[in-house]
Amino acid sequence: MNLDDLGNIGDFLGAIAVLVTLVYLAIQVRQSSATTRAQTRQSLADSQINYLNSRVTDPFLRAASFKMHAGEELDAAEAYAVRVHIIAHIRLFENYFAQYVLGTMNQEDWRAMRDVIGNQFRLIHYREAFSYRENGWNEEFASEIAQILSEMDAQTA
């Protein structure tokens, strides 16, 4: 065996090593993506749970929310508390949308969340809070909300 033969064997083994490394890296990237999606899902769930807990555990906000859902008029303090709380909820929706756009939320989950958003925006208080911060939303998200509202309005017409 001469030096050229050893060089060819080295090149062959190097190519195999590169191939094995690429396969390994592909597996790692796939696992990392799955982990990122799972962490994102958990983070979004935690945020939603915290939001809902604040509505349930704060007596003032709970009472104001009951009045809002019953269609009763809110006094100035209740209206302010509800508006701020709703803006926080819409921010959660904006985060869900961002995760969908980034690919860390799948289309099926986004479709379900889109339905939740539509249900919430049936309340005038959500529409008013969204309009109140008209320029404070991500442009793509604002367009998505406009599309959801358009679809809702078309269904009721």
Side-chain angles (χ1 to χ4, degrees):
M1 186 175 287
N2 63 28
L3 203 53
D4 284 338
D5 291 339
L6 288 176
N8 289 336
I9 290 171
D11 286 345
F12 177 72
L13 291 176
I16 289 175
V18 168
L19 183 63
V20 168
T21 302
L22 289 175
V23 168
Y24 173 77
L25 289 174
I27 291 168
Q28 290 297 314
V29 166
R30 180 175 286 160
Q31 288 175 343
S32 177
S33 295
T35 300
T36 298
R37 281 192 299 278
Q39 289 171 336
T40 299
R41 186 178 186 92
Q42 183 62 49
S43 175
L44 293 173
D46 289 345
S47 296
Q48 188 73 15
I49 289 166
N50 289 336
Y51 171 81
L52 294 171
N53 278 338
S54 68
R55 184 181 277 183
V56 171
T57 58
D58 181 310
F60 181 78
L61 191 54
R62 183 176 56 238
S65 293
F66 277 133
K67 285 176 73 173
M68 175 187 69
H69 284 281
E72 298 175 22
E73 190 168 334
L74 304 175
D75 66 30
E78 291 168 332
Y80 176 78
V82 165
R83 183 176 61 234
V84 169
H85 199 66
I86 287 172
I87 288 170
H89 202 200
I90 297 171
R91 282 282 179 227
L92 278 174
F93 295 151
E94 187 176 35
N95 187 15
Y96 280 110
F97 178 74
Q99 298 307 321
Y100 170 68
V101 170
L102 291 171
T104 53
M105 175 184 277
N106 66 38
Q107 189 168 2
E108 182 181 327
D109 288 343
W110 172 244
R111 198 169 327 150
M113 183 49 58
R114 213 172 176 277
D115 289 343
V116 169
I117 292 169
N119 286 333
Q120 293 301 312
F121 271 81
R122 291 187 194 292
L123 295 168
I124 189 67
H125 298 284
Y126 273 79
R127 291 177 186 229
E128 288 173 351
F130 187 75
S131 296
Y132 177 77
R133 301 274 313 207
E134 187 174 353
N135 295 323
W137 309 107
N138 171 280
E139 243 180 76
E140 288 180 64
F141 174 69
S143 294
E144 185 74 9
I145 293 297
Q147 179 65 35
I148 292 169
L149 294 175
S150 175
E151 291 167 8
M152 288 171 47
D153 292 344
Q155 287 175 352
T156 58

